[in-house]
Amino acid sequence: MLPAVLLSAVLLPAVVPASGSGSRTVTVGTATSTFQVQTGSSISPRRGPVGTTVAVTGEGFATGQGGSQILFGNESVGGAPVGPSGSVSTSFKVPPLPGGSYSVKVGDTTPVDFILTSSFSVGTSSGPPGTTVTLSGSGFAANTSVG
């Protein structure tokens, strides 16, 4: 009969602390491994008309870098100051662009889609024939016909 050998694995749950992106060394006893901290961001809401206030949050940004540029499509809509823990929290207003899908990118994060909806209002809701009616709108492509 062979002697029994007890083999065991250890599962140690760990939470990645708030920090900037990059490679981190993890050490348990004399064993080491690496872990890659990545940047990530989210927006809310993810759809709305021109002028919508969009909240931006993110984690994993390099501390001390000052801020990360926010792009709505190809247009800069501001910056996100990076806090001491590598997080960002700010907001911006959706710029006057035609309706459609636009990517929102914070620094070097993966873009998140925002759906820009079209909207309009009628200045006068009723009147006799011949009443002049003013239409106001946003999110329409240039030269969109009104009918």
Short mmCIF file of all heavy atoms in Angstrom, two decimals, residues 44-119:
data_model
loop_
_atom_site.label_atom_id
_atom_site.label_comp_id
_atom_site.label_asym_id
_atom_site.label_seq_id
_atom_site.Cartn_x
_atom_site.Cartn_y
_atom_site.Cartn_z
N SER A 44 -25.27 57.21 -17.55
CA SER A 44 -26.71 57.09 -17.27
C SER A 44 -27.34 58.46 -17.44
O SER A 44 -26.82 59.44 -16.89
CB SER A 44 -26.92 56.59 -15.84
OG SER A 44 -28.30 56.47 -15.57
N PRO A 45 -28.40 58.57 -18.23
CA PRO A 45 -29.06 57.52 -19.01
C PRO A 45 -28.25 57.20 -20.26
O PRO A 45 -27.26 57.87 -20.55
CB PRO A 45 -30.41 58.15 -19.36
CG PRO A 45 -30.10 59.61 -19.46
CD PRO A 45 -29.06 59.88 -18.40
N ARG A 46 -28.73 56.21 -21.01
CA ARG A 46 -28.04 55.80 -22.24
C ARG A 46 -28.80 56.22 -23.48
O ARG A 46 -28.44 55.84 -24.59
CB ARG A 46 -27.79 54.30 -22.22
CG ARG A 46 -26.82 53.96 -21.08
CD ARG A 46 -26.29 52.60 -21.12
NE ARG A 46 -25.65 52.30 -22.38
CZ ARG A 46 -25.03 51.16 -22.62
NH1 ARG A 46 -24.94 50.25 -21.68
NH2 ARG A 46 -24.49 50.92 -23.79
N ARG A 47 -29.86 57.03 -23.30
CA ARG A 47 -30.60 57.58 -24.44
C ARG A 47 -31.30 58.85 -24.01
O ARG A 47 -31.61 59.03 -22.84
CB ARG A 47 -31.58 56.56 -25.01
CG ARG A 47 -32.75 56.23 -24.13
CD ARG A 47 -33.72 55.19 -24.72
NE ARG A 47 -34.28 55.62 -25.97
CZ ARG A 47 -34.15 54.95 -27.14
NH1 ARG A 47 -33.52 53.81 -27.18
NH2 ARG A 47 -34.68 55.41 -28.24
N GLY A 48 -31.54 59.75 -24.98
CA GLY A 48 -32.24 60.99 -24.67
C GLY A 48 -32.03 62.01 -25.78
O GLY A 48 -31.24 61.80 -26.69
N PRO A 49 -32.74 63.15 -25.69
CA PRO A 49 -32.60 64.20 -26.70
C PRO A 49 -31.41 65.12 -26.40
O PRO A 49 -30.75 65.01 -25.37
CB PRO A 49 -33.92 64.96 -26.55
CG PRO A 49 -34.27 64.80 -25.10
CD PRO A 49 -33.80 63.41 -24.74
N VAL A 50 -31.17 66.05 -27.31
CA VAL A 50 -30.15 67.09 -27.13
C VAL A 50 -30.42 67.79 -25.80
O VAL A 50 -31.57 68.05 -25.44
CB VAL A 50 -30.21 68.11 -28.30
CG1 VAL A 50 -29.37 69.34 -28.00
CG2 VAL A 50 -29.75 67.45 -29.59
N GLY A 51 -29.36 68.07 -25.05
CA GLY A 51 -29.49 68.77 -23.78
C GLY A 51 -29.63 67.85 -22.58
O GLY A 51 -29.59 68.32 -21.44
N THR A 52 -29.79 66.54 -22.80
CA THR A 52 -29.89 65.59 -21.69
C THR A 52 -28.61 65.64 -20.86
O THR A 52 -27.52 65.66 -21.40
CB THR A 52 -30.10 64.15 -22.22
OG1 THR A 52 -31.33 64.09 -22.93
CG2 THR A 52 -30.11 63.12 -21.10
N THR A 53 -28.76 65.65 -19.53
CA THR A 53 -27.60 65.57 -18.64
C THR A 53 -27.25 64.11 -18.46
O THR A 53 -28.09 63.31 -18.06
CB THR A 53 -27.90 66.22 -17.28
OG1 THR A 53 -28.19 67.61 -17.50
CG2 THR A 53 -26.71 66.10 -16.34
N VAL A 54 -26.03 63.74 -18.80
CA VAL A 54 -25.55 62.36 -18.71
C VAL A 54 -24.52 62.27 -17.59
O VAL A 54 -23.53 63.00 -17.58
CB VAL A 54 -24.91 61.91 -20.05
CG1 VAL A 54 -24.38 60.49 -19.95
CG2 VAL A 54 -25.92 62.02 -21.19
N ALA A 55 -24.78 61.37 -16.62
CA ALA A 55 -23.84 61.14 -15.53
C ALA A 55 -22.79 60.14 -15.98
O ALA A 55 -23.11 59.14 -16.63
CB ALA A 55 -24.57 60.61 -14.30
N VAL A 56 -21.53 60.41 -15.67
CA VAL A 56 -20.41 59.55 -16.05
C VAL A 56 -19.70 59.09 -14.79
O VAL A 56 -19.37 59.91 -13.92
CB VAL A 56 -19.40 60.32 -16.94
CG1 VAL A 56 -18.21 59.45 -17.29
CG2 VAL A 56 -20.07 60.85 -18.18
N THR A 57 -19.46 57.78 -14.65
CA THR A 57 -18.66 57.26 -13.55
C THR A 57 -17.63 56.30 -14.12
O THR A 57 -17.85 55.71 -15.19
CB THR A 57 -19.51 56.52 -12.50
OG1 THR A 57 -20.23 55.47 -13.14
CG2 THR A 57 -20.49 57.46 -11.82
N GLY A 58 -16.53 56.13 -13.42
CA GLY A 58 -15.50 55.21 -13.89
C GLY A 58 -14.50 54.89 -12.80
O GLY A 58 -14.42 55.58 -11.79
N GLU A 59 -13.77 53.80 -13.02
CA GLU A 59 -12.76 53.34 -12.07
C GLU A 59 -11.51 52.91 -12.82
O GLU A 59 -11.55 52.63 -14.01
CB GLU A 59 -13.25 52.12 -11.27
CG GLU A 59 -14.56 52.30 -10.55
CD GLU A 59 -15.77 52.10 -11.43
OE1 GLU A 59 -15.70 51.30 -12.39
OE2 GLU A 59 -16.78 52.75 -11.20
N GLY A 60 -10.41 52.84 -12.08
CA GLY A 60 -9.16 52.32 -12.63
C GLY A 60 -8.31 53.33 -13.37
O GLY A 60 -7.39 52.96 -14.09
N PHE A 61 -8.59 54.61 -13.20
CA PHE A 61 -7.81 55.64 -13.88
C PHE A 61 -6.54 55.93 -13.08
O PHE A 61 -6.51 55.79 -11.86
CB PHE A 61 -8.63 56.92 -14.04
CG PHE A 61 -9.78 56.77 -14.99
CD1 PHE A 61 -11.00 56.29 -14.55
CD2 PHE A 61 -9.62 57.06 -16.33
CE1 PHE A 61 -12.06 56.12 -15.43
CE2 PHE A 61 -10.67 56.90 -17.22
CZ PHE A 61 -11.89 56.43 -16.76
N ALA A 62 -5.50 56.34 -13.77
CA ALA A 62 -4.23 56.66 -13.11
C ALA A 62 -4.40 57.91 -12.27
O ALA A 62 -4.86 58.93 -12.76
CB ALA A 62 -3.13 56.85 -14.15
N THR A 63 -4.05 57.80 -11.00
CA THR A 63 -4.15 58.97 -10.12
C THR A 63 -3.04 59.95 -10.48
O THR A 63 -2.00 59.58 -10.98
CB THR A 63 -4.03 58.55 -8.64
OG1 THR A 63 -2.80 57.87 -8.46
CG2 THR A 63 -5.17 57.65 -8.23
N GLY A 64 -3.31 61.21 -10.26
CA GLY A 64 -2.32 62.24 -10.55
C GLY A 64 -2.28 62.66 -12.00
O GLY A 64 -1.50 63.52 -12.37
N GLN A 65 -3.13 62.08 -12.85
CA GLN A 65 -3.10 62.47 -14.26
C GLN A 65 -3.95 63.70 -14.53
O GLN A 65 -3.99 64.20 -15.64
CB GLN A 65 -3.54 61.32 -15.16
CG GLN A 65 -5.04 61.01 -15.10
CD GLN A 65 -5.43 59.86 -16.00
OE1 GLN A 65 -4.65 58.94 -16.20
NE2 GLN A 65 -6.62 59.90 -16.54
N GLY A 66 -4.66 64.19 -13.51
CA GLY A 66 -5.45 65.40 -13.67
C GLY A 66 -6.87 65.09 -14.09
O GLY A 66 -7.80 65.31 -13.35
N GLY A 67 -7.06 64.57 -15.28
CA GLY A 67 -8.40 64.27 -15.76
C GLY A 67 -8.37 63.50 -17.05
O GLY A 67 -7.34 63.38 -17.70
N SER A 68 -9.52 62.96 -17.40
CA SER A 68 -9.67 62.21 -18.64
C SER A 68 -10.69 62.90 -19.52
O SER A 68 -11.76 63.29 -19.05
CB SER A 68 -10.13 60.78 -18.36
OG SER A 68 -9.12 60.04 -17.74
N GLN A 69 -10.38 63.07 -20.79
CA GLN A 69 -11.27 63.72 -21.73
C GLN A 69 -12.48 62.84 -22.00
O GLN A 69 -12.37 61.62 -22.10
CB GLN A 69 -10.53 64.00 -23.04
CG GLN A 69 -11.39 64.71 -24.07
CD GLN A 69 -10.64 64.96 -25.36
OE1 GLN A 69 -9.81 64.17 -25.77
NE2 GLN A 69 -10.98 66.04 -26.02
N ILE A 70 -13.66 63.46 -22.13
CA ILE A 70 -14.89 62.75 -22.48
C ILE A 70 -15.25 63.12 -23.91
O ILE A 70 -15.36 64.30 -24.24
CB ILE A 70 -16.06 63.12 -21.54
CG1 ILE A 70 -15.70 62.85 -20.09
CG2 ILE A 70 -17.32 62.36 -21.94
CD1 ILE A 70 -16.71 63.36 -19.09
N LEU A 71 -15.42 62.10 -24.75
CA LEU A 71 -15.82 62.31 -26.14
C LEU A 71 -17.23 61.79 -26.35
O LEU A 71 -17.57 60.68 -25.92
CB LEU A 71 -14.88 61.60 -27.10
CG LEU A 71 -13.44 62.09 -27.17
CD1 LEU A 71 -12.62 61.21 -28.11
CD2 LEU A 71 -13.40 63.54 -27.64
N PHE A 72 -18.08 62.59 -27.02
CA PHE A 72 -19.42 62.18 -27.45
C PHE A 72 -19.32 62.10 -28.96
O PHE A 72 -19.26 63.12 -29.63
CB PHE A 72 -20.46 63.21 -27.02
CG PHE A 72 -21.87 62.76 -27.26
CD1 PHE A 72 -22.56 62.05 -26.30
CD2 PHE A 72 -22.50 63.04 -28.46
CE1 PHE A 72 -23.86 61.62 -26.53
CE2 PHE A 72 -23.80 62.62 -28.70
CZ PHE A 72 -24.48 61.91 -27.72
N GLY A 73 -19.22 60.88 -29.50
CA GLY A 73 -18.85 60.73 -30.90
C GLY A 73 -17.42 61.24 -31.02
O GLY A 73 -16.54 60.80 -30.28
N ASN A 74 -17.20 62.20 -31.91
CA ASN A 74 -15.86 62.79 -32.05
C ASN A 74 -15.73 64.15 -31.37
O ASN A 74 -14.73 64.83 -31.51
CB ASN A 74 -15.51 62.93 -33.54
CG ASN A 74 -15.35 61.59 -34.22
OD1 ASN A 74 -14.87 60.66 -33.59
ND2 ASN A 74 -15.76 61.49 -35.47
N GLU A 75 -16.79 64.55 -30.66
CA GLU A 75 -16.81 65.88 -30.06
C GLU A 75 -16.48 65.83 -28.56
O GLU A 75 -17.07 65.05 -27.82
CB GLU A 75 -18.22 66.48 -30.24
CG GLU A 75 -18.32 67.92 -29.84
CD GLU A 75 -19.65 68.53 -30.24
OE1 GLU A 75 -20.18 68.19 -31.31
OE2 GLU A 75 -20.15 69.36 -29.47
N SER A 76 -15.55 66.66 -28.15
CA SER A 76 -15.20 66.74 -26.73
C SER A 76 -16.33 67.44 -25.98
O SER A 76 -16.77 68.51 -26.38
CB SER A 76 -13.89 67.52 -26.54
OG SER A 76 -13.62 67.66 -25.16
N VAL A 77 -16.79 66.81 -24.89
CA VAL A 77 -17.87 67.39 -24.09
C VAL A 77 -17.40 67.67 -22.66
O VAL A 77 -18.21 67.87 -21.77
CB VAL A 77 -19.13 66.49 -24.09
CG1 VAL A 77 -19.80 66.51 -25.45
CG2 VAL A 77 -18.81 65.08 -23.65
N GLY A 78 -16.10 67.66 -22.44
CA GLY A 78 -15.57 68.00 -21.12
C GLY A 78 -14.52 67.02 -20.65
O GLY A 78 -14.04 66.18 -21.40
N GLY A 79 -14.20 67.17 -19.39
CA GLY A 79 -13.20 66.32 -18.77
C GLY A 79 -13.73 65.71 -17.49
O GLY A 79 -14.66 66.23 -16.89
N ALA A 80 -13.15 64.61 -17.10
CA ALA A 80 -13.53 63.93 -15.87
C ALA A 80 -12.33 63.96 -14.93
O ALA A 80 -11.34 63.28 -15.17
CB ALA A 80 -13.94 62.49 -16.17
N PRO A 81 -12.40 64.77 -13.85
CA PRO A 81 -11.28 64.80 -12.91
C PRO A 81 -11.12 63.44 -12.21
O PRO A 81 -12.09 62.81 -11.84
CB PRO A 81 -11.66 65.89 -11.92
CG PRO A 81 -13.10 66.18 -12.13
CD PRO A 81 -13.48 65.65 -13.47
N VAL A 82 -9.87 63.00 -12.08
CA VAL A 82 -9.59 61.70 -11.46
C VAL A 82 -9.33 61.91 -9.97
O VAL A 82 -8.47 62.70 -9.59
CB VAL A 82 -8.37 61.03 -12.13
CG1 VAL A 82 -8.05 59.71 -11.44
CG2 VAL A 82 -8.63 60.82 -13.61
N GLY A 83 -10.10 61.19 -9.15
CA GLY A 83 -9.94 61.28 -7.70
C GLY A 83 -8.74 60.48 -7.22
O GLY A 83 -8.11 59.74 -7.98
N PRO A 84 -8.41 60.59 -5.93
CA PRO A 84 -7.24 59.91 -5.37
C PRO A 84 -7.32 58.39 -5.43
O PRO A 84 -6.30 57.71 -5.39
CB PRO A 84 -7.17 60.41 -3.92
CG PRO A 84 -8.46 61.06 -3.65
CD PRO A 84 -9.09 61.42 -4.95
N SER A 85 -8.53 57.84 -5.55
CA SER A 85 -8.67 56.38 -5.63
C SER A 85 -8.71 55.89 -7.08
O SER A 85 -8.91 54.70 -7.34
CB SER A 85 -9.95 55.93 -4.92
OG SER A 85 -11.09 56.43 -5.60
N GLY A 86 -8.52 56.80 -8.06
CA GLY A 86 -8.54 56.41 -9.46
C GLY A 86 -9.93 56.41 -10.06
O GLY A 86 -10.14 55.88 -11.15
N SER A 87 -10.90 57.02 -9.37
CA SER A 87 -12.27 57.04 -9.88
C SER A 87 -12.61 58.40 -10.48
O SER A 87 -11.97 59.41 -10.19
CB SER A 87 -13.25 56.71 -8.75
OG SER A 87 -13.19 57.70 -7.76
N VAL A 88 -13.63 58.40 -11.34
CA VAL A 88 -14.16 59.62 -11.92
C VAL A 88 -15.66 59.66 -11.70
O VAL A 88 -16.31 58.62 -11.68
CB VAL A 88 -13.83 59.77 -13.43
CG1 VAL A 88 -12.34 59.84 -13.68
CG2 VAL A 88 -14.45 58.66 -14.24
N SER A 89 -16.20 60.86 -11.55
CA SER A 89 -17.64 61.06 -11.41
C SER A 89 -17.94 62.48 -11.84
O SER A 89 -17.49 63.44 -11.21
CB SER A 89 -18.08 60.83 -9.97
OG SER A 89 -19.48 61.01 -9.85
N THR A 90 -18.66 62.62 -12.96
CA THR A 90 -18.97 63.94 -13.50
C THR A 90 -20.20 63.82 -14.38
O THR A 90 -20.82 62.75 -14.45
CB THR A 90 -17.75 64.50 -14.27
OG1 THR A 90 -17.98 65.88 -14.56
CG2 THR A 90 -17.49 63.74 -15.56
N SER A 91 -20.55 64.87 -15.07
CA SER A 91 -21.68 64.83 -16.00
C SER A 91 -21.42 65.80 -17.16
O SER A 91 -20.54 66.66 -17.07
CB SER A 91 -22.99 65.19 -15.29
OG SER A 91 -22.95 66.51 -14.81
N PHE A 92 -22.20 65.63 -18.22
CA PHE A 92 -22.13 66.53 -19.37
C PHE A 92 -23.51 66.61 -20.00
O PHE A 92 -24.37 65.77 -19.73
CB PHE A 92 -21.08 66.07 -20.40
CG PHE A 92 -21.44 64.79 -21.11
CD1 PHE A 92 -22.18 64.81 -22.30
CD2 PHE A 92 -21.05 63.56 -20.60
CE1 PHE A 92 -22.51 63.63 -22.94
CE2 PHE A 92 -21.37 62.38 -21.25
CZ PHE A 92 -22.11 62.42 -22.43
N LYS A 93 -23.71 67.63 -20.83
CA LYS A 93 -24.97 67.77 -21.57
C LYS A 93 -24.76 67.30 -23.00
O LYS A 93 -23.73 67.60 -23.61
CB LYS A 93 -25.45 69.21 -21.55
CG LYS A 93 -25.88 69.67 -20.16
CD LYS A 93 -26.98 70.69 -20.26
CE LYS A 93 -27.43 71.14 -18.89
NZ LYS A 93 -28.42 70.29 -18.32
N VAL A 94 -25.74 66.55 -23.52
CA VAL A 94 -25.65 66.04 -24.89
C VAL A 94 -25.65 67.23 -25.85
O VAL A 94 -26.54 68.09 -25.78
CB VAL A 94 -26.82 65.09 -25.20
CG1 VAL A 94 -26.83 64.69 -26.66
CG2 VAL A 94 -26.75 63.86 -24.30
N PRO A 95 -24.65 67.31 -26.74
CA PRO A 95 -24.54 68.46 -27.65
C PRO A 95 -25.57 68.40 -28.78
O PRO A 95 -26.15 67.33 -29.04
CB PRO A 95 -23.11 68.32 -28.20
CG PRO A 95 -22.80 66.87 -28.10
CD PRO A 95 -23.54 66.37 -26.89
N PRO A 96 -25.79 69.53 -29.47
CA PRO A 96 -26.76 69.57 -30.57
C PRO A 96 -26.22 68.87 -31.81
O PRO A 96 -25.48 69.44 -32.61
CB PRO A 96 -26.96 71.08 -30.81
CG PRO A 96 -25.73 71.72 -30.30
CD PRO A 96 -25.21 70.85 -29.19
N LEU A 97 -26.60 67.62 -31.95
CA LEU A 97 -26.20 66.79 -33.09
C LEU A 97 -27.44 66.07 -33.62
O LEU A 97 -28.44 65.95 -32.91
CB LEU A 97 -25.16 65.75 -32.64
CG LEU A 97 -23.81 66.29 -32.17
CD1 LEU A 97 -23.00 65.19 -31.48
CD2 LEU A 97 -23.03 66.84 -33.36
N PRO A 98 -27.39 65.55 -34.85
CA PRO A 98 -28.52 64.78 -35.37
C PRO A 98 -28.75 63.50 -34.55
O PRO A 98 -27.82 62.94 -33.97
CB PRO A 98 -28.09 64.42 -36.79
CG PRO A 98 -27.01 65.40 -37.14
CD PRO A 98 -26.34 65.73 -35.84
N GLY A 99 -29.99 63.04 -34.50
CA GLY A 99 -30.32 61.81 -33.80
C GLY A 99 -29.54 60.63 -34.34
O GLY A 99 -29.11 60.62 -35.49
N GLY A 100 -29.32 59.62 -33.51
CA GLY A 100 -28.59 58.42 -33.91
C GLY A 100 -27.81 57.86 -32.75
O GLY A 100 -27.95 58.29 -31.60
N SER A 101 -26.96 56.89 -33.04
CA SER A 101 -26.14 56.24 -32.02
C SER A 101 -24.76 56.89 -32.00
O SER A 101 -24.12 57.05 -33.04
CB SER A 101 -26.01 54.75 -32.33
OG SER A 101 -25.23 54.11 -31.36
N TYR A 102 -24.31 57.26 -30.79
CA TYR A 102 -23.00 57.88 -30.60
C TYR A 102 -22.24 57.13 -29.52
O TYR A 102 -22.82 56.69 -28.53
CB TYR A 102 -23.15 59.35 -30.17
CG TYR A 102 -23.69 60.23 -31.26
CD1 TYR A 102 -25.07 60.37 -31.44
CD2 TYR A 102 -22.85 60.91 -32.12
CE1 TYR A 102 -25.59 61.17 -32.46
CE2 TYR A 102 -23.35 61.72 -33.13
CZ TYR A 102 -24.72 61.84 -33.29
OH TYR A 102 -25.22 62.63 -34.29
N SER A 103 -20.93 57.01 -29.70
CA SER A 103 -20.10 56.39 -28.67
C SER A 103 -19.66 57.46 -27.68
O SER A 103 -19.37 58.59 -28.06
CB SER A 103 -18.89 55.68 -29.27
OG SER A 103 -18.04 56.62 -29.90
N VAL A 104 -19.67 57.10 -26.39
CA VAL A 104 -19.18 57.97 -25.33
C VAL A 104 -17.94 57.31 -24.78
O VAL A 104 -17.97 56.16 -24.36
CB VAL A 104 -20.23 58.17 -24.22
CG1 VAL A 104 -19.66 59.03 -23.10
CG2 VAL A 104 -21.49 58.81 -24.79
N LYS A 105 -16.83 58.03 -24.82
CA LYS A 105 -15.55 57.47 -24.40
C LYS A 105 -14.92 58.37 -23.34
O LYS A 105 -14.82 59.57 -23.53
CB LYS A 105 -14.63 57.35 -25.62
CG LYS A 105 -13.34 56.61 -25.38
CD LYS A 105 -12.68 56.36 -26.73
CE LYS A 105 -11.27 55.90 -26.65
NZ LYS A 105 -11.02 54.66 -26.03
N VAL A 106 -14.52 57.76 -22.22
CA VAL A 106 -13.86 58.48 -21.13
C VAL A 106 -12.41 58.02 -21.10
O VAL A 106 -12.13 56.86 -20.82
CB VAL A 106 -14.53 58.19 -19.77
CG1 VAL A 106 -13.85 58.99 -18.67
CG2 VAL A 106 -16.02 58.50 -19.84
N GLY A 107 -11.49 58.93 -21.42
CA GLY A 107 -10.07 58.55 -21.45
C GLY A 107 -9.85 57.39 -22.41
O GLY A 107 -10.29 57.43 -23.55
N ASP A 108 -9.18 56.33 -21.91
CA ASP A 108 -8.88 55.18 -22.78
C ASP A 108 -9.82 54.00 -22.52
O ASP A 108 -9.49 52.87 -22.84
CB ASP A 108 -7.42 54.76 -22.61
CG ASP A 108 -7.10 54.32 -21.18
OD1 ASP A 108 -7.99 54.38 -20.31
OD2 ASP A 108 -5.96 53.91 -20.94
N THR A 109 -11.01 54.27 -21.97
CA THR A 109 -11.95 53.18 -21.69
C THR A 109 -12.63 52.70 -22.97
O THR A 109 -12.61 53.38 -24.00
CB THR A 109 -13.05 53.60 -20.69
OG1 THR A 109 -13.81 54.65 -21.27
CG2 THR A 109 -12.45 54.04 -19.37
N THR A 110 -13.28 51.55 -22.89
CA THR A 110 -14.09 51.05 -23.99
C THR A 110 -15.31 51.95 -24.14
O THR A 110 -15.98 52.25 -23.15
CB THR A 110 -14.54 49.60 -23.71
OG1 THR A 110 -13.37 48.80 -23.53
CG2 THR A 110 -15.39 49.05 -24.83
N PRO A 111 -15.63 52.40 -25.36
CA PRO A 111 -16.77 53.29 -25.56
C PRO A 111 -18.10 52.64 -25.15
O PRO A 111 -18.26 51.42 -25.24
CB PRO A 111 -16.76 53.59 -27.06
CG PRO A 111 -15.42 53.21 -27.53
CD PRO A 111 -14.93 52.13 -26.61
N VAL A 112 -19.04 53.48 -24.71
CA VAL A 112 -20.39 53.06 -24.37
C VAL A 112 -21.33 53.80 -25.32
O VAL A 112 -21.14 54.99 -25.60
CB VAL A 112 -20.72 53.44 -22.91
CG1 VAL A 112 -22.13 53.04 -22.54
CG2 VAL A 112 -19.72 52.81 -21.95
N ASP A 113 -22.36 53.12 -25.84
CA ASP A 113 -23.27 53.75 -26.80
C ASP A 113 -24.34 54.59 -26.11
O ASP A 113 -24.87 54.22 -25.06
CB ASP A 113 -23.97 52.69 -27.66
CG ASP A 113 -23.02 52.07 -28.68
OD1 ASP A 113 -22.05 52.73 -29.06
OD2 ASP A 113 -23.28 50.92 -29.08
N PHE A 114 -24.64 55.74 -26.73
CA PHE A 114 -25.74 56.61 -26.31
C PHE A 114 -26.61 56.82 -27.53
O PHE A 114 -26.11 57.12 -28.62
CB PHE A 114 -25.22 57.97 -25.81
CG PHE A 114 -26.31 58.89 -25.33
CD1 PHE A 114 -26.68 58.86 -23.99
CD2 PHE A 114 -26.98 59.73 -26.19
CE1 PHE A 114 -27.70 59.69 -23.53
CE2 PHE A 114 -28.00 60.56 -25.74
CZ PHE A 114 -28.36 60.54 -24.41
N ILE A 115 -27.93 56.67 -27.38
CA ILE A 115 -28.87 56.89 -28.47
C ILE A 115 -29.44 58.30 -28.33
O ILE A 115 -30.15 58.60 -27.36
CB ILE A 115 -30.03 55.86 -28.46
CG1 ILE A 115 -29.49 54.42 -28.45
CG2 ILE A 115 -30.98 56.11 -29.63
CD1 ILE A 115 -28.67 54.05 -29.66
N LEU A 116 -29.11 59.16 -29.30
CA LEU A 116 -29.61 60.54 -29.32
C LEU A 116 -30.94 60.54 -30.06
O LEU A 116 -31.01 60.19 -31.24
CB LEU A 116 -28.60 61.45 -30.00
CG LEU A 116 -28.98 62.92 -30.16
CD1 LEU A 116 -29.34 63.55 -28.83
CD2 LEU A 116 -27.85 63.68 -30.82
N THR A 117 -32.01 60.88 -29.33
CA THR A 117 -33.35 60.87 -29.92
C THR A 117 -33.71 62.26 -30.43
O THR A 117 -33.20 63.27 -29.94
CB THR A 117 -34.39 60.41 -28.88
OG1 THR A 117 -34.34 61.28 -27.74
CG2 THR A 117 -34.12 58.99 -28.42
N SER A 118 -34.59 62.30 -31.41
CA SER A 118 -35.09 63.56 -31.94
C SER A 118 -36.31 63.99 -31.12
O SER A 118 -37.06 63.14 -30.63
CB SER A 118 -35.51 63.40 -33.40
OG SER A 118 -34.42 62.97 -34.17
N SER A 119 -36.50 65.30 -30.98
CA SER A 119 -37.68 65.79 -30.27
C SER A 119 -38.09 67.13 -30.87
O SER A 119 -37.27 67.84 -31.44
CB SER A 119 -37.40 65.93 -28.78
OG SER A 119 -36.45 66.93 -28.55
#
